[in-house]
Structures are given as structure tokens and as C-alpha cells.
Amino acid sequence: EDLPRPSISAEPGTVVPLGGHVSFVCRGPVGVQTFRLERESRSIYSDTEDVSQTTPSESEARFHIDSVSEGNAGSYRCVYYKAHKWSEQSDYLELLVKREDGTWALPQSQL
């Protein structure tokens, strides 16, 4: 049985001022044990088992960044662990970080 792909979104949005806050929301089916938030490189990630059921058919986890830095700019995606296997990855979500002078912090991968 194939696991449904997770989705990813950002609150309040994908454009964040330097020093602002953002939460990545990963959503998947009920019964997820672990959600993982990955950067462009799969070697950089964070896991959480703090999973909440939001509807009868869906669960989610939130990854908070309290003070966004330039290093947080870039692409993120979600993956989850359920029933002894990892799901496919979600689509990428691009986080844009805006400096006070109105310029953009570039993701490391684009330097």
C-alpha cells in the first residue's frame, strides 16, 4: 500500500522578514509517527514526533523558526514515517527572507 504524499505550507507565509517568525506545517494521513522537515540537501533535516490529528483523515506537525536568519532562506520539503516506512517527499516550498533594506537573502544553493 502506497503512502499518500505529504504536503507542506508556511504560516504566516513564505515571505518572511529577517528576524521574523515562520512555522512550516507538514500534513499527512492519520497514524504518522514522525514528520521530517528537509532542506534542499537531505542531510539537513529535523524530526518531530509531536504529531496532532487535525481531521478524521489527516494529521500534521509544525516546525517553528522563532527568529529567521539569512541561512533559513531556501527550499524545504516534508516526508513522514508511518507503518515502518518513509513516505515520498512533498513538493518543495521556497522560503524567501527579506532584509530591512528590501533586498533578498539568497539561498545557500544559489550563491
Side-chain angles (χ1 to χ4, degrees), residues 17-29:
L18 201 58
H21 65 88
V22 68
S23 296
F24 293 102
V25 185
C26 297
R27 291 188 177 91

Side-chain angles (χ1 to χ4, degrees), residues 12-99:
T14 54
V15 177
V16 185
L18 201 58
H21 65 88
V22 68
S23 296
F24 293 102
V25 185
C26 297
R27 291 188 177 91
V30 170
V32 170
Q33 293 160 273
T34 303
F35 274 104
R36 174 172 289 181
L37 181 70
E38 293 181 346
R39 296 294 304 259
E40 298 99 326
S41 154
R42 293 190 67 174
S43 60
I44 306 173
Y45 61 83
S46 52
D47 286 352
T48 183
E49 293 181 2
D50 184 12
V51 177
S52 55
Q53 187 171 330
T54 48
T55 72
S57 60
E58 194 175 61
S59 62
E60 71 173 38
R62 289 168 181 265
F63 296 86
H64 306 287
I65 301 177
D66 293 330
S67 181
V68 169
S69 67
E70 299 205 4
N72 293 133
S75 299
Y76 293 80
R77 62 185 179 182
C78 290
V79 64
Y80 65 84
Y81 190 75
K82 177 186 175 179
H84 308 293
K85 63 182 187 178
W86 287 97
S87 70
E88 291 182 64
Q89 286 98 349
S90 68
D91 291 333
Y92 272 119
L93 183 77
E94 188 82 13
L95 186 72
L96 300 170
V97 178
K98 201 164 195 175
R99 301 189 188 101

